[in-house]
Amino acid sequence: MTRLLSFLVCLALHLQGVSSWSVPSSRRSLLKQSSSSSSGQQQQQQRPLRSLSILNNAAAATGIPAPEDAAVTTEESSTEAVEVSPKLSKKERLQKQALKEGGIFTFNTKYGALNPYAIYYGVTSIFLGLFWFVALTGLQFFYFLTGGRVDKRKRMVNFVSQIWGETLMFLVRARPELVGKKELNEFYKKNEAAMFVANHNSWLDIPFVGGMIGWRNYKLVSKAELGRVPILGKAIKLGGHIMVDRSNRKSQIKTLRQGMDLLKNGIHLCTFPEGTRTKNGRLLPFKNGAFKMAHKVGAPIIPLSIVGSGEAMPYYWMFPFRTARGVGAKVIIHAPIASDDKTEEELAKQVR
């Protein structure tokens, strides 16, 4: 009992802010403790270190554990529990998501995740790409010998590139469903060039669009960085496709003139007005270059909605991890939009 009363005296004196103490009667200390209970919490917050020191000393003298010790112990235990399960970084979350999506044989690399289907797709793509590269090299030598006077619009480059894309889509079962193909064939009968604009979800979008346009001469409007991609970059440069350096104003003006010239000469253009792939499936803001080209020459714009390519190949995968058919991939071809009676802003808004 004496030890308990001593502890209560220490606690009461601390709550009153006493710096030196003497032992009064137990009745007086209990009354003081009761009167100071309403302000004790505020004073403890103002002097937390002193509170901890005095009560620990009292606990040591009496042998009774201080309440604050228990609270600190609980808080430390909680902190240790949090440290055991640290928050995952964005990279770790994506790796975990890839493992969940791709199955038990999935593994991560510095270039993206892979599983058996992704490896099959990659090997098939590269194997076919070797023949594509040989054909492109042969055409490059042919254009050198003829001084570029033959096949000025580089139809043959488009032809061999189309063979690669069509063969790949067939072997890996990645050919999308085409919705609105009949209306597109009707448009082709007009012998009129159009600007195709599509949303951008993954690398699959390029062969999807190529397969949709078919065996016609068309040019991509792409960012300059694609010129560094093996084989594809060679096809883009040799085929007369348009590459724009978005950090260079002169390159942007040159791109605009090239695109207008191609449309005037009956060659279709295709671009992704978002400028990059979306990472969450939501449509990004449009760049106005495609709409400016079409508006300047009065060429119609044909919007394309690509569905499912991002599900087959999210941006954190090196290659598609499942077939496009398995996710119901499709390319929806919308009705042409006339550009000669609208402003560039109106065109972009209607397409969106």
Side-chain angles (χ1 to χ4, degrees):
M1 179 62 72
T2 302
R3 296 171 64 186
L4 176 60
L5 290 176
S6 298
F7 172 73
L8 292 177
V9 168
C10 293
L11 177 60
L13 290 176
H14 165 67
L15 294 177
Q16 293 178 16
V18 179
S19 59
S20 61
W21 56 283
S22 60
V23 182
S25 66
S26 60
R27 177 181 178 84
R28 182 180 175 184
S29 69
L30 291 174
L31 289 174
K32 287 183 178 181
Q33 181 181 10
S34 175
S35 65
S36 62
S37 61
S38 61
S39 60
Q41 183 176 359
Q42 181 178 357
Q43 294 180 8
Q44 287 174 14
Q45 293 175 350
Q46 294 174 350
R47 293 181 295 276
L49 294 177
R50 184 180 175 190
S51 172
L52 182 60
S53 176
I54 293 176
L55 291 179
N56 282 342
N57 290 337
T62 59
I64 302 175
E68 282 78 7
D69 275 347
V72 171
T73 303
T74 304
E75 183 177 349
E76 291 177 349
S77 300
S78 176
T79 303
E80 291 176 358
V82 172
E83 292 176 352
V84 170
S85 302
K87 185 178 180 180
L88 296 177
S89 66
K90 181 179 179 181
K91 181 179 180 181
E92 291 171 336
R93 290 199 307 271
L94 293 177
Q95 291 176 344
K96 187 175 181 180
Q97 178 66 22
L99 291 173
K100 181 179 178 181
E101 293 171 338
I104 60 175
F105 297 108
T106 301
F107 60 95
N108 290 288
T109 73
K110 62 183 294 186
Y111 301 106
L114 288 171
N115 70 349
Y117 176 79
I119 295 173
Y120 168 67
Y121 183 102
V123 171
T124 305
S125 175
I126 295 171
F127 177 74
L128 294 175
L130 297 177
F131 295 96
W132 187 19
F133 179 80
V134 171
L136 291 173
T137 304
L139 287 174
Q140 187 177 22
F141 183 65
F142 172 77
Y143 292 139
F144 173 76
L145 292 177
T146 60
R149 293 184 294 271
V150 180
D151 191 25
K152 295 182 179 180
R153 296 300 181 183
K154 305 297 188 293
R155 278 183 168 272
M156 289 189 289
V157 176
N158 266 63
F159 180 77
V160 297
S161 299
Q162 193 72 17
I163 292 176
W164 172 83
E166 294 284 351
T167 306
L168 176 64
M169 293 295 98
F170 172 76
L171 292 177
V172 299
R173 295 177 56 81
R175 193 185 304 277
E177 177 188 358
L178 299 181
V179 180
K181 183 67 174 179
K182 183 177 180 181
E183 290 75 10
L184 180 62
N185 290 333
E186 291 296 323
F187 173 80
Y188 283 154
K189 294 178 180 179
K190 300 178 181 180
N191 292 320
E192 184 179 4
M195 170 69 76
F196 292 90
V197 294
N199 59 309
H200 199 9
N201 296 294
S202 79
W203 280 100
L204 282 172
D205 296 336
I206 296 176
F208 278 13
V209 169
M212 182 276 307
I213 295 177
W215 302 86
R216 290 170 174 77
N217 197 14
Y218 69 93
K219 307 299 178 186
L220 289 172
V221 182
S222 65
K223 56 186 178 181
E225 290 82 353
L226 286 183
R228 298 195 292 266
V229 178
I231 307 178
L232 175 62
K234 185 178 183 68
I236 290 176
K237 294 176 182 177
L238 187 62
H241 297 272
I242 301 174
M243 293 187 295
V244 57
D245 182 355
R246 291 175 291 186
S247 63
N248 189 319
R249 180 63 179 170
K250 290 183 178 180
S251 174
Q252 295 174 355
I253 295 174
K254 180 181 178 181
T255 297
L256 178 63
R257 292 173 177 171
Q258 286 178 322
M260 292 169 59
D261 178 66
L262 290 169
L263 289 171
K264 288 177 181 178
N265 285 276
I267 298 177
H268 304 295
L269 293 181
C270 179
T271 188
F272 303 100
E274 297 167 275
T276 188
R277 292 173 292 169
T278 178
K279 294 182 178 181
N280 57 13
R282 297 180 180 179
L283 204 61
L284 300 175
F286 284 168
K287 312 292 183 183
N288 65 348
F291 307 104
K292 187 181 290 291
M293 291 180 197
H295 182 263
K296 292 288 186 182
V297 300
I301 293 179
I302 300 181
L304 306 173
S305 296
I306 301 177
V307 181
S309 62
E311 297 178 28
M313 184 184 174
Y315 70 95
Y316 46 87
W317 281 81
M318 187 186 302
F319 297 108
F321 74 94
R322 53 184 172 183
T323 67
R325 290 184 182 182
V327 298
K330 62 180 68 176
V331 178
I332 303 173
I333 307 165
H334 300 278
I337 300 174
S339 63
D340 51 4
D341 60 345
K342 299 178 183 66
T343 65
E344 297 168 18
E345 292 75 15
E346 290 172 340
L347 280 172
K349 185 176 180 180
Q350 187 168 350
V351 168
R352 192 176 184 88

